[in-house]
């Protein structure tokens, strides 16, 4: 379990302008992240646009990344499906393709009680032979929030190995950290709150999952190193530098959440030559010249691009 500590960026899935997965660009993304000092990769998360990929595409992405990584860092792989009977085959395919651990949400579309949600995690954990992480992301689950008490209980039972918290609920995140510590820290806890990473690390998080690290991994590694060394004042300065560049997500207008945040990352990565195109899967709309210009302006202003 000590391998699941540090910065695990959620890897973007590049597409060609024809809408096919761009595996050449994907290889460059993997190299960019590992060369940037990332401790591991989170494949097929929200930033990886997992909801838009077919089962075969998901497997091909995991296989391609696993081959490129070649054991250098561990891979957390998202297996997002409505219910355990649908998650389990996805998780088994992910493990066969190279997953070091599997990440799943609570059930969605299905209307389950807290007890049924617990059993959902138990069913998946029993069906795979790698660690299981819970992905707490209420915005994508109709508001369903995973209770700290339930997560720690499943951790002490050995069902869950960790939690990726993207709830944005700082009070509940701190409660989770406190309850986990009191129980002997059975869970590795990652924050997805990328503009407050240094604060979450100060509270005791085991790692971070910042989407913007796809653009600027080296600065996130510097942030991690400062936090690990207890250089909190310097860490705050690095976080502020990151946050200034993170303003790219506020550039694209008139789009949904997937087309704004992830889209801005892809625009920046294409402008920096990391991927060939910022194309997103349909039905997400193509970017306008104004969208691209808004991202370029932030990159220039913050010194990331000439």
């Amino acid at each position: 379990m000590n391998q699941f500590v540090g910065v695990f960026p959620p890897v973007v899935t590049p597409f060609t302008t024809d809408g096919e997965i761009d595996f050449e660009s994907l290889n460059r993304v993997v190299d960019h992240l590992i060369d940037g000092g990332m401790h591991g990769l989170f494949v097929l998360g929200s930033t990886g646009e997992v909801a838009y990929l077919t089962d075969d595409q998901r497997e091909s992405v995991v296989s391609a990344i696993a081959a490129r990584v070649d054991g250098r860092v561990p891979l957390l792989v998202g297996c997002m499906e409505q219910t355990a009977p649908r998650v389990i085959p996805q998780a088994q395919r992910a493990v066969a393709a190279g997953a070091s651990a599997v990440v799943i949400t609570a059930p969605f579309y299905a209307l389950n009680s807290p007890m049924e949600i617990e059993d959902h995690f138990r069913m998946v954990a029993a069906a795979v032979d790698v660690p299981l992480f819970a992905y707490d992301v209420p915005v994508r689950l109709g508001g369903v929030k995973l209770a700290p008490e339930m997560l720690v209980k499943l951790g002490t039972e050995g069902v869950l190995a960790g939690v990726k918290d993207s709830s944005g609920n700082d009070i509940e995140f701190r409660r989770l950290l406190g309850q986990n510590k009191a129980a002997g820290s059975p869970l590795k806890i990652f924050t997805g709150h990328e503009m407050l990473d240094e604060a979450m690390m100060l509270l005791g998080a085991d790692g971070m999952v910042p989407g913007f690290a796809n653009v600027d991994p080296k600065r996130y590694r510097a942030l991690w190193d400062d936090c690990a060394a207890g250089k909190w004042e310097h860490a705050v300065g690095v976080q502020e530098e990151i946050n200034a560049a993170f303003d790219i997500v506020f550039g694209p207008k008139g789009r949904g959440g997937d087309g704004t945040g992830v889209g801005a990352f892809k625009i920046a990565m294409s402008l920096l030559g990391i991927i060939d195109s910022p194309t997103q899967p349909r039905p997400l709309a193509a970017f306008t010249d104004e969208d691209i210009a808004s991202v370029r302006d932030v990159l220039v202003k913050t010194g990331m691009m000439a």
Side-chain angles (χ1 to χ4, degrees):
M1 283 301 297
N2 288 334
Q3 66 179 321
F4 301 117
V5 173
V7 190
F8 280 63
V11 185
V12 303
T13 304
F15 289 86
T16 68
T17 54
D18 294 329
E20 301 296 324
I21 295 173
D22 182 351
F23 289 102
E24 290 187 8
S25 287
L26 183 59
N27 282 339
R28 293 202 301 274
V29 172
V30 170
D31 292 344
H32 170 66
L33 293 171
I34 294 179
D35 292 346
M38 301 295 90
H39 300 89
L41 304 179
F42 176 27
V43 184
L44 298 183
S46 303
T47 301
E49 297 171 314
V50 62
Y52 299 91
L53 303 181
T54 66
D55 292 354
D56 289 343
Q57 286 177 321
R58 292 181 184 188
E59 184 175 2
S60 68
V61 167
V62 178
S63 295
I65 291 176
R68 192 68 174 187
V69 168
D70 194 25
R72 289 178 287 171
V73 298
L75 301 182
L76 300 178
V77 177
C79 299
M80 316 310 176
E81 283 289 353
Q82 292 100 316
T83 57
R86 295 182 62 83
V87 173
I88 288 169
Q90 288 279 346
Q92 291 171 337
R93 290 180 74 169
V95 172
S100 308
V102 168
V103 185
I104 70 170
T105 68
F108 53 91
Y109 191 85
L111 303 177
N112 293 149
S113 70
M115 184 178 297
E116 291 162 346
I117 292 173
E118 284 188 28
D119 285 343
H120 165 84
F121 287 109
R122 290 191 181 96
M123 289 171 66
V124 178
V128 296
D129 58 1
V130 298
L132 180 67
F133 280 65
Y135 187 4
D136 192 9
V137 58
V139 70
R140 294 186 180 274
L141 300 176
V144 174
K145 175 79 178 70
L146 300 178
E149 294 81 1
M150 181 196 75
L151 293 169
V152 173
K153 176 184 177 182
L154 292 176
T156 58
E157 291 178 5
V159 173
L160 290 178
V163 179
K164 192 254 179 171
D165 184 282
S166 293
S167 68
N169 188 326
D170 298 338
I171 294 174
E172 289 299 284
F173 185 72
R174 186 154 195 176
R175 291 186 67 237
L176 173 61
L177 289 170
Q179 291 181 29
N180 186 56
K181 183 177 181 180
S185 301
L187 299 169
K188 295 297 184 183
I189 301 176
F190 283 72
T191 176
H193 209 338
E194 57 195 291
M195 292 187 74
L196 293 171
D197 278 318
E198 91 286 26
M200 301 300 110
M201 296 306 302
L202 177 60
L203 294 178
D206 296 291
M208 55 185 84
V209 186
F212 189 62
N214 281 281
V215 182
D216 193 2
K218 290 183 179 179
R219 196 142 19 198
Y220 274 102
R221 179 54 190 259
L223 176 63
W224 169 267
D225 289 344
D226 280 344
C227 293
K231 298 178 180 178
W232 298 110
E233 185 174 353
H234 193 265
V236 169
V238 175
Q239 183 74 70
E240 289 175 348
E241 292 175 2
I242 290 171
N243 292 352
F246 188 76
D247 269 358
I248 61 172
V249 305
F250 303 108
K253 304 296 184 185
R255 308 173 67 86
D258 290 341
T260 302
V262 179
F265 298 158
K266 283 189 164 184
I267 292 172
M269 294 171 77
S270 67
L271 289 171
L272 295 171
I274 304 164
I275 61 177
D276 288 341
S277 169
T279 302
Q280 292 189 280
R282 297 282 291 163
L284 301 180
F287 296 107
T288 66
D289 291 342
E290 289 77 12
D291 293 331
I292 295 170
S294 70
V295 172
R296 181 187 291 109
D297 288 347
V298 174
L299 294 178
V300 171
K301 181 180 178 181
T302 56
M304 294 189 65
M305 183 177 176

